[in-house]
Amino acid sequence: MKQVYKQPTSQEVIRQADHLALYDRYGSMAYGLILQIIPEPDLAQAVLVDLFTSPQLKSYAETPSQVAGEIIRLARNKALIAKPIHTTPSLSIPVSTTNDNTAKLVFDLSFCQGYTPEAIAEKLQLSRTNVLKSIYTYFKQLRSS
């Protein structure tokens, strides 16, 4: 039997064009973020493809003022879901740490590994306020460097 080629509807073509435009503009940013969470390039690329083929991107294309933030949020969520369990770090703090190292550790645990400030505070034996201050300190250091 002969397979009949189905012409895509105009809405499907527009949606694909929107996704491609978003990929062209934000693909490298999203891939860099995903690679920080999942250091395996093959798995990171699969997550990137999943990100830019997801139906949630259609709503992001319609609100261009907040696209970058939404793509970052979605990329982070998809990467955390796809992240293999065996790469989760232990939440132990090294004995000899400086304030800078603690701030970086807290930032990594929060933004790259997806731990909540409460979980970080409990495991590192810090107050929630100190965890948030550490994140603030790390951002401040990044801006000044």
Side-chain angles (χ1 to χ4, degrees):
M1 232 184 181
K2 211 178 194 183
Q3 254 187 350
V4 179
Y5 175 71
K6 181 184 163 199
Q7 285 282 38
T9 64
S10 62
Q11 285 188 341
E12 288 174 338
V13 170
I14 290 170
R15 188 181 76 214
Q16 289 172 350
D18 288 344
H19 285 241
L20 287 175
L22 288 174
Y23 175 78
D24 287 341
R25 187 161 186 184
Y26 301 106
S28 60
M29 175 188 64
Y31 185 62
L33 177 73
I34 293 167
L35 270 178
Q36 286 181 347
I37 297 171
I38 304 172
E40 300 169 25
D42 292 337
L43 185 56
Q45 289 172 5
V47 172
L48 183 69
V49 169
D50 182 39
L51 169 70
F52 283 99
T53 57
S54 71
Q56 296 152 323
L57 282 182
K58 183 179 190 292
S59 64
Y60 300 158
E62 294 169 357
T63 58
S65 63
Q66 300 173 350
V67 174
E70 295 299 326
I71 287 177
I72 288 170
R73 224 175 261 118
L74 184 60
R76 183 177 173 274
N77 286 340
K78 287 192 176 286
L80 288 171
I81 290 169
K83 182 179 180 182
I85 303 284
H86 68 278
T87 61
T88 304
S90 65
L91 278 176
S92 61
I93 191 164
V95 175
S96 62
T97 59
T98 63
N99 223 7
D100 296 342
N101 290 341
T102 302
K104 183 174 180 358
L105 175 66
V106 169
F107 177 83
D108 286 343
L109 290 172
S110 178
F111 286 91
C112 297
Q113 305 301 325
Y115 290 103
T116 63
E118 291 80 16
I120 295 169
E122 180 181 317
K123 295 293 183 176
L124 297 180
Q125 298 174 350
L126 298 170
S127 68
R128 184 177 187 278
T129 305
N130 285 341
V131 169
L132 296 175
K133 282 181 185 177
S134 294
I135 293 171
Y136 171 77
T137 302
Y138 187 73
F139 273 122
K140 197 172 173 182
Q141 290 170 353
L142 283 178
R143 279 190 225 150
S144 65
S145 60

mmCIF file of all heavy atoms in Angstrom, residues 1 10-13 22 37 46 50 52 63 77 79 82-83 100 104 112 125 138 142:
data_model
loop_
_atom_site.group_PDB
_atom_site.id
_atom_site.type_symbol
_atom_site.label_atom_id
_atom_site.label_comp_id
_atom_site.label_asym_id
_atom_site.label_seq_id
_atom_site.Cartn_x
_atom_site.Cartn_y
_atom_site.Cartn_z
ATOM 1 N N MET A 1 0.822 -1.183 0.000
ATOM 2 C CA MET A 1 0.000 0.000 0.000
ATOM 3 C C MET A 1 0.867 1.248 0.000
ATOM 4 O O MET A 1 1.883 1.302 0.676
ATOM 5 C CB MET A 1 -0.875 0.002 1.241
ATOM 6 C CG MET A 1 -2.290 0.192 0.909
ATOM 7 S SD MET A 1 -3.255 0.297 2.422
ATOM 8 C CE MET A 1 -4.759 0.462 1.611
ATOM 9 N N SER A 10 -1.498 24.889 8.566
ATOM 10 C CA SER A 10 -0.797 26.173 8.724
ATOM 11 C C SER A 10 -0.423 26.427 10.173
ATOM 12 O O SER A 10 0.626 26.992 10.471
ATOM 13 C CB SER A 10 -1.655 27.321 8.188
ATOM 14 O OG SER A 10 -2.861 27.414 8.918
ATOM 15 N N GLN A 11 -1.254 25.976 11.104
ATOM 16 C CA GLN A 11 -0.930 26.155 12.524
ATOM 17 C C GLN A 11 0.271 25.313 12.922
ATOM 18 O O GLN A 11 1.099 25.737 13.724
ATOM 19 C CB GLN A 11 -2.125 25.813 13.406
ATOM 20 C CG GLN A 11 -3.184 26.878 13.393
ATOM 21 C CD GLN A 11 -4.267 26.593 14.416
ATOM 22 O OE1 GLN A 11 -4.417 25.471 14.874
ATOM 23 N NE2 GLN A 11 -5.022 27.627 14.753
ATOM 24 N N GLU A 12 0.395 24.097 12.373
ATOM 25 C CA GLU A 12 1.554 23.259 12.669
ATOM 26 C C GLU A 12 2.830 23.895 12.133
ATOM 27 O O GLU A 12 3.869 23.864 12.778
ATOM 28 C CB GLU A 12 1.374 21.863 12.078
ATOM 29 C CG GLU A 12 0.349 21.017 12.793
ATOM 30 C CD GLU A 12 0.085 19.690 12.086
ATOM 31 O OE1 GLU A 12 0.358 19.599 10.869
ATOM 32 O OE2 GLU A 12 -0.383 18.767 12.752
ATOM 33 N N VAL A 13 2.759 24.486 10.941
ATOM 34 C CA VAL A 13 3.927 25.141 10.349
ATOM 35 C C VAL A 13 4.332 26.349 11.183
ATOM 36 O O VAL A 13 5.512 26.560 11.459
ATOM 37 C CB VAL A 13 3.639 25.551 8.882
ATOM 38 C CG1 VAL A 13 4.742 26.440 8.335
ATOM 39 C CG2 VAL A 13 3.444 24.316 8.023
ATOM 40 N N LEU A 22 12.739 30.034 18.637
ATOM 41 C CA LEU A 22 13.129 29.990 20.049
ATOM 42 C C LEU A 22 14.417 29.186 20.221
ATOM 43 O O LEU A 22 15.289 29.558 21.006
ATOM 44 C CB LEU A 22 12.011 29.381 20.897
ATOM 45 C CG LEU A 22 10.774 30.249 21.100
ATOM 46 C CD1 LEU A 22 9.685 29.469 21.823
ATOM 47 C CD2 LEU A 22 11.118 31.514 21.852
ATOM 48 N N ILE A 37 23.772 20.696 34.816
ATOM 49 C CA ILE A 37 23.022 19.765 35.651
ATOM 50 C C ILE A 37 23.323 18.317 35.259
ATOM 51 O O ILE A 37 23.491 17.461 36.115
ATOM 52 C CB ILE A 37 21.508 20.059 35.558
ATOM 53 C CG1 ILE A 37 21.233 21.466 36.105
ATOM 54 C CG2 ILE A 37 20.695 19.022 36.314
ATOM 55 C CD1 ILE A 37 19.829 21.960 35.868
ATOM 56 N N ALA A 46 19.558 15.109 24.423
ATOM 57 C CA ALA A 46 18.203 14.550 24.397
ATOM 58 C C ALA A 46 17.240 15.435 25.183
ATOM 59 O O ALA A 46 16.103 15.664 24.757
ATOM 60 C CB ALA A 46 18.209 13.129 24.960
ATOM 61 N N ASP A 50 13.989 17.492 23.810
ATOM 62 C CA ASP A 50 12.714 17.395 24.510
ATOM 63 C C ASP A 50 12.191 18.773 24.908
ATOM 64 O O ASP A 50 10.999 19.054 24.807
ATOM 65 C CB ASP A 50 12.875 16.508 25.749
ATOM 66 C CG ASP A 50 11.570 16.314 26.499
ATOM 67 O OD1 ASP A 50 10.518 16.160 25.846
ATOM 68 O OD2 ASP A 50 11.607 16.329 27.744
ATOM 69 N N PHE A 52 12.772 21.748 23.429
ATOM 70 C CA PHE A 52 12.296 22.564 22.320
ATOM 71 C C PHE A 52 11.228 21.891 21.469
ATOM 72 O O PHE A 52 10.757 22.488 20.490
ATOM 73 C CB PHE A 52 13.481 23.036 21.473
ATOM 74 C CG PHE A 52 14.213 24.167 22.132
ATOM 75 C CD1 PHE A 52 15.376 23.927 22.838
ATOM 76 C CD2 PHE A 52 13.724 25.461 22.103
ATOM 77 C CE1 PHE A 52 16.045 24.960 23.482
ATOM 78 C CE2 PHE A 52 14.371 26.490 22.741
ATOM 79 C CZ PHE A 52 15.541 26.242 23.428
ATOM 80 N N THR A 63 4.185 35.163 24.656
ATOM 81 C CA THR A 63 4.541 36.206 25.625
ATOM 82 C C THR A 63 6.050 36.444 25.570
ATOM 83 O O THR A 63 6.801 35.916 26.388
ATOM 84 C CB THR A 63 4.130 35.798 27.053
ATOM 85 O OG1 THR A 63 4.784 34.566 27.369
ATOM 86 C CG2 THR A 63 2.639 35.656 27.203
ATOM 87 N N ASN A 77 13.968 22.281 34.942
ATOM 88 C CA ASN A 77 13.044 21.232 35.390
ATOM 89 C C ASN A 77 13.227 19.944 34.593
ATOM 90 O O ASN A 77 13.281 18.854 35.165
ATOM 91 C CB ASN A 77 11.589 21.700 35.289
ATOM 92 C CG ASN A 77 11.239 22.691 36.360
ATOM 93 O OD1 ASN A 77 11.906 22.781 37.382
ATOM 94 N ND2 ASN A 77 10.193 23.465 36.134
ATOM 95 N N ALA A 79 15.875 18.980 32.946
ATOM 96 C CA ALA A 79 17.186 18.400 33.240
ATOM 97 C C ALA A 79 17.176 17.693 34.590
ATOM 98 O O ALA A 79 17.757 16.614 34.728
ATOM 99 C CB ALA A 79 18.263 19.483 33.209
ATOM 100 N N ALA A 82 15.392 14.406 34.161
ATOM 101 C CA ALA A 82 16.143 13.433 33.366
ATOM 102 C C ALA A 82 17.477 13.040 33.984
ATOM 103 O O ALA A 82 18.112 12.096 33.530
ATOM 104 C CB ALA A 82 16.390 14.001 31.972
ATOM 105 N N LYS A 83 17.902 13.738 35.009
ATOM 106 C CA LYS A 83 19.207 13.488 35.615
ATOM 107 C C LYS A 83 19.253 12.098 36.237
ATOM 108 O O LYS A 83 18.370 11.724 36.987
ATOM 109 C CB LYS A 83 19.480 14.538 36.687
ATOM 110 C CG LYS A 83 20.826 14.397 37.329
ATOM 111 C CD LYS A 83 21.022 15.480 38.338
ATOM 112 C CE LYS A 83 22.374 15.305 38.969
ATOM 113 N NZ LYS A 83 22.608 16.287 39.972
ATOM 114 N N ASP A 100 33.527 31.804 50.748
ATOM 115 C CA ASP A 100 33.328 31.761 49.300
ATOM 116 C C ASP A 100 32.963 30.353 48.835
ATOM 117 O O ASP A 100 32.086 30.170 48.006
ATOM 118 C CB ASP A 100 34.592 32.232 48.580
ATOM 119 C CG ASP A 100 34.912 33.686 48.873
ATOM 120 O OD1 ASP A 100 34.014 34.422 49.326
ATOM 121 O OD2 ASP A 100 36.074 34.084 48.646
ATOM 122 N N LYS A 104 29.444 29.005 47.083
ATOM 123 C CA LYS A 104 29.415 28.280 45.808
ATOM 124 C C LYS A 104 28.735 26.925 45.978
ATOM 125 O O LYS A 104 27.936 26.521 45.138
ATOM 126 C CB LYS A 104 30.820 28.100 45.251
ATOM 127 C CG LYS A 104 30.835 27.409 43.893
ATOM 128 C CD LYS A 104 32.205 27.364 43.313
ATOM 129 C CE LYS A 104 32.298 26.703 41.974
ATOM 130 N NZ LYS A 104 31.168 26.142 41.358
ATOM 131 N N CYS A 112 21.831 24.045 40.589
ATOM 132 C CA CYS A 112 22.242 22.979 39.685
ATOM 133 C C CYS A 112 21.677 21.627 40.079
ATOM 134 O O CYS A 112 21.386 20.802 39.227
ATOM 135 C CB CYS A 112 23.766 22.909 39.609
ATOM 136 S SG CYS A 112 24.503 24.400 38.933
ATOM 137 N N GLN A 125 23.556 22.036 58.134
ATOM 138 C CA GLN A 125 23.403 22.578 59.490
ATOM 139 C C GLN A 125 23.578 24.101 59.497
ATOM 140 O O GLN A 125 24.332 24.661 60.279
ATOM 141 C CB GLN A 125 24.384 21.896 60.441
ATOM 142 C CG GLN A 125 24.125 20.417 60.548
ATOM 143 C CD GLN A 125 25.158 19.687 61.368
ATOM 144 O OE1 GLN A 125 26.182 20.235 61.728
ATOM 145 N NE2 GLN A 125 24.870 18.434 61.662
ATOM 146 N N TYR A 138 27.043 34.652 46.591
ATOM 147 C CA TYR A 138 27.603 34.074 45.375
ATOM 148 C C TYR A 138 27.223 34.898 44.154
ATOM 149 O O TYR A 138 28.061 35.159 43.285
ATOM 150 C CB TYR A 138 27.136 32.624 45.222
ATOM 151 C CG TYR A 138 27.825 31.933 44.072
ATOM 152 C CD1 TYR A 138 29.155 31.556 44.177
ATOM 153 C CD2 TYR A 138 27.156 31.673 42.891
ATOM 154 C CE1 TYR A 138 29.801 30.935 43.130
ATOM 155 C CE2 TYR A 138 27.790 31.054 41.838
ATOM 156 C CZ TYR A 138 29.117 30.686 41.965
ATOM 157 O OH TYR A 138 29.743 30.075 40.911
ATOM 158 N N LEU A 142 29.739 36.856 41.582
ATOM 159 C CA LEU A 142 29.692 36.662 40.125
ATOM 160 C C LEU A 142 29.591 37.997 39.401
ATOM 161 O O LEU A 142 30.219 38.191 38.354
ATOM 162 C CB LEU A 142 28.514 35.782 39.733
ATOM 163 C CG LEU A 142 28.671 34.295 39.963
ATOM 164 C CD1 LEU A 142 27.393 33.563 39.572
ATOM 165 C CD2 LEU A 142 29.844 33.741 39.181
#
